[in-house]
Amino acid sequence: RLVEAAGGLETLLEASHARARMLIAALRDGEILVGPGPARDRLEDVIGLFEGYVDMGGELLRQRRR
């Protein structure tokens, strides 16, 4: 998927967030396939990493728009 940078940082970050949210949803869907243990822990860590990225990016966008 191509994203035009004509809208500046906001456009790029919003597009990246949309992709990250889709990935988070897919990873969450896969949680039922992974039993308790180290693999599940790693999966939760990866989900947390992407959720943190989206949260921080969202905060950056809110600050920039003020």
Side-chain angles (χ1 to χ4, degrees):
R1 183 182 227 188
L2 298 176
V3 177
E4 185 174 335
L9 176 65
E10 288 93 355
T11 302
L12 293 174
L13 197 50
E14 287 170 353
S16 179
H17 285 176
R19 287 189 303 274
R21 285 187 196 97
M22 289 189 326
L23 177 59
I24 291 167
L27 293 172
R28 288 263 179 235
D29 288 344
E31 282 182 308
I32 62 171
L33 303 174
V34 182
R40 177 74 174 247
D41 295 342
R42 285 191 303 273
L43 178 58
E44 290 172 0
D45 287 345
V46 169
I47 292 169
L49 174 74
F50 280 98
E51 287 175 334
Y53 163 72
V54 171
D55 291 344
M56 288 301 296
E59 180 58 29
L60 288 172
L61 284 172
R62 283 187 290 280
Q63 288 176 9
R64 186 170 170 91
R65 290 175 179 152
R66 286 184 205 148

